[in-house]
Amino acid sequence: MAELSYQVPDATARDSTTMFGWPEVRLWHTTSYVLTAIGRTAAAYSAQDTALALYGSTSLAPDRAKVELHKARCLIIDGSVSEGLDEAHRVLDHLPAARSGSVLSIARRGMDTVPQVETHRPAALALRERLQLTP
C-alpha cells in the first residue's frame, strides 16, 4: 500500500482537508488502524509513531486521538491492561467536549479488547461508564 500511496498526484498528496486527499499521514493512520485491528502490535506501534510524528502535537486533534487510542488498544492486547486503560483515559481527557462518534468508536473497540478477568478493574469500569457501555 505504501508504494501506491507515494504514486498519488501531488495535488492529492497535499489535500488534507477533503476525503479525496491522501497525504502521507493518512497512509500511516490507516496502517495503524489495520495492524491494530489484526493484533500485529509491533508493526502497529511503528505506524502509530510515524503517524503521530506527522500529525504533530496540535494538529487534527480527533485524528491524532484515534491513533493514540490505537496505541492504547495495542497495549491492552500486549497485556499492559492498566497502561492501555490509562492511555485511553488520557486521550479522552484531552479531547474537546464535543468528541466525534468515530473517536468514541475507536475507544469502544479498545474496551472490547480488555480480557474478561480484567473488566472489573476500576479504570476499566470507569472507561466503560465514560463510553456509556453496558456490562
Side-chain angles (χ1 to χ4, degrees), residues 12 15 20-21 27 34 49 54 69 79 85 92-93 98 108 115 117 123 128:
T12 303
D15 181 2
F20 302 109
L27 164 67
V34 171
D49 290 344
L54 290 167
L69 288 168
L85 292 169
L92 294 175
D93 286 345
R108 288 182 187 107
V117 298
R128 180 174 299 286

Short mmCIF file of all heavy atoms in Angstrom, two decimals, residues 12 15 20-21 27 34 49 54 69 79 85 92-93 98 108 115 117 123 128:
data_model
loop_
_atom_site.label_atom_id
_atom_site.label_comp_id
_atom_site.label_asym_id
_atom_site.label_seq_id
_atom_site.Cartn_x
_atom_site.Cartn_y
_atom_site.Cartn_z
N THR A 12 -3.26 15.57 -4.81
CA THR A 12 -3.95 14.64 -3.91
C THR A 12 -3.14 14.47 -2.62
O THR A 12 -3.71 14.43 -1.53
CB THR A 12 -4.15 13.27 -4.61
OG1 THR A 12 -4.88 13.50 -5.82
CG2 THR A 12 -4.88 12.30 -3.73
N ASP A 15 -3.67 17.44 -0.32
CA ASP A 15 -5.05 17.69 0.11
C ASP A 15 -5.33 16.97 1.44
O ASP A 15 -5.60 15.78 1.47
CB ASP A 15 -6.02 17.19 -0.97
CG ASP A 15 -7.47 17.43 -0.62
OD1 ASP A 15 -7.75 18.01 0.46
OD2 ASP A 15 -8.34 17.04 -1.42
N PHE A 20 -11.02 13.26 -0.36
CA PHE A 20 -10.39 12.81 -1.61
C PHE A 20 -8.87 12.93 -1.57
O PHE A 20 -8.20 12.41 -2.45
CB PHE A 20 -10.95 13.60 -2.79
CG PHE A 20 -12.44 13.46 -2.91
CD1 PHE A 20 -13.28 14.52 -2.62
CD2 PHE A 20 -13.01 12.25 -3.27
CE1 PHE A 20 -14.65 14.39 -2.69
CE2 PHE A 20 -14.39 12.11 -3.35
CZ PHE A 20 -15.21 13.18 -3.06
N GLY A 21 -8.33 13.60 -0.55
CA GLY A 21 -6.89 13.74 -0.44
C GLY A 21 -6.26 12.50 0.19
O GLY A 21 -6.93 11.69 0.83
N LEU A 27 -1.84 7.46 5.19
CA LEU A 27 -1.27 6.13 4.98
C LEU A 27 -0.93 5.50 6.34
O LEU A 27 -1.31 4.37 6.62
CB LEU A 27 -0.03 6.20 4.10
CG LEU A 27 0.86 4.95 4.11
CD1 LEU A 27 0.15 3.77 3.47
CD2 LEU A 27 2.18 5.24 3.44
N VAL A 34 -5.34 -0.78 10.73
CA VAL A 34 -5.42 -2.16 10.25
C VAL A 34 -4.55 -3.08 11.11
O VAL A 34 -4.99 -4.15 11.55
CB VAL A 34 -5.03 -2.25 8.76
CG1 VAL A 34 -4.88 -3.69 8.31
CG2 VAL A 34 -6.05 -1.52 7.91
N ASP A 49 3.75 5.63 15.69
CA ASP A 49 4.79 6.62 15.93
C ASP A 49 4.98 7.52 14.71
O ASP A 49 5.13 8.74 14.83
CB ASP A 49 6.11 5.95 16.30
CG ASP A 49 6.08 5.29 17.68
OD1 ASP A 49 5.17 5.61 18.48
OD2 ASP A 49 6.97 4.45 17.95
N LEU A 54 3.90 12.80 12.16
CA LEU A 54 3.40 13.60 11.04
C LEU A 54 2.26 14.52 11.45
O LEU A 54 2.14 15.63 10.94
CB LEU A 54 2.95 12.68 9.89
CG LEU A 54 4.08 11.96 9.16
CD1 LEU A 54 3.53 10.85 8.27
CD2 LEU A 54 4.90 12.94 8.34
N LEU A 69 -5.51 6.17 20.53
CA LEU A 69 -6.39 5.10 21.02
C LEU A 69 -6.02 3.76 20.40
O LEU A 69 -6.19 2.71 21.04
CB LEU A 69 -7.85 5.46 20.77
CG LEU A 69 -8.39 6.57 21.68
CD1 LEU A 69 -9.73 7.07 21.17
CD2 LEU A 69 -8.48 6.11 23.13
N GLY A 79 -1.08 -7.11 26.88
CA GLY A 79 -1.13 -7.48 28.29
C GLY A 79 -0.87 -6.35 29.26
O GLY A 79 -0.92 -6.55 30.47
N LEU A 85 -5.50 1.22 29.54
CA LEU A 85 -6.68 1.93 30.06
C LEU A 85 -6.32 3.36 30.45
O LEU A 85 -7.08 4.29 30.16
CB LEU A 85 -7.27 1.17 31.25
CG LEU A 85 -7.90 -0.18 30.92
CD1 LEU A 85 -8.21 -0.94 32.21
CD2 LEU A 85 -9.15 0.00 30.08
N LEU A 92 -8.95 10.69 26.06
CA LEU A 92 -10.31 11.25 26.16
C LEU A 92 -10.31 12.52 27.01
O LEU A 92 -11.09 13.44 26.74
CB LEU A 92 -11.27 10.21 26.74
CG LEU A 92 -11.50 8.99 25.84
CD1 LEU A 92 -12.38 7.97 26.55
CD2 LEU A 92 -12.10 9.40 24.49
N ASP A 93 -9.43 12.60 28.02
CA ASP A 93 -9.34 13.81 28.86
C ASP A 93 -8.92 15.03 28.06
O ASP A 93 -9.28 16.14 28.40
CB ASP A 93 -8.33 13.61 30.00
CG ASP A 93 -8.83 12.70 31.09
OD1 ASP A 93 -10.05 12.43 31.16
OD2 ASP A 93 -7.98 12.24 31.89
N ALA A 98 -17.05 18.15 22.70
CA ALA A 98 -17.80 17.62 21.56
C ALA A 98 -16.92 16.63 20.80
O ALA A 98 -16.35 16.94 19.78
CB ALA A 98 -18.24 18.76 20.64
N ARG A 108 -14.19 2.44 22.17
CA ARG A 108 -15.01 1.26 22.49
C ARG A 108 -14.35 -0.03 22.01
O ARG A 108 -14.41 -1.05 22.69
CB ARG A 108 -16.40 1.42 21.89
CG ARG A 108 -17.24 2.46 22.60
CD ARG A 108 -18.64 2.57 22.00
NE ARG A 108 -19.34 3.68 22.62
CZ ARG A 108 -19.59 4.84 22.02
NH1 ARG A 108 -19.25 5.03 20.75
NH2 ARG A 108 -20.22 5.80 22.67
N PRO A 115 -9.40 -8.17 28.51
CA PRO A 115 -9.77 -9.54 28.87
C PRO A 115 -10.86 -9.55 29.95
O PRO A 115 -10.88 -8.68 30.83
CB PRO A 115 -8.46 -10.13 29.43
CG PRO A 115 -7.38 -9.26 28.88
CD PRO A 115 -7.98 -7.90 28.74
N VAL A 117 -11.32 -11.17 32.61
CA VAL A 117 -10.86 -11.16 34.01
C VAL A 117 -10.39 -9.78 34.46
O VAL A 117 -10.23 -9.56 35.66
CB VAL A 117 -9.74 -12.20 34.25
CG1 VAL A 117 -10.24 -13.61 33.98
CG2 VAL A 117 -8.50 -11.89 33.43
N ALA A 123 -10.25 1.25 36.55
CA ALA A 123 -10.04 2.03 35.31
C ALA A 123 -10.90 1.49 34.18
O ALA A 123 -11.39 2.26 33.34
CB ALA A 123 -8.57 2.01 34.92
N ARG A 128 -15.64 2.16 30.81
CA ARG A 128 -16.92 1.62 30.33
C ARG A 128 -18.04 2.63 30.59
O ARG A 128 -18.85 2.93 29.71
CB ARG A 128 -17.22 0.29 31.01
CG ARG A 128 -18.53 -0.33 30.57
CD ARG A 128 -18.73 -1.71 31.16
NE ARG A 128 -17.72 -2.67 30.78
CZ ARG A 128 -17.63 -3.24 29.58
NH1 ARG A 128 -18.49 -2.95 28.65
NH2 ARG A 128 -16.68 -4.11 29.31
#
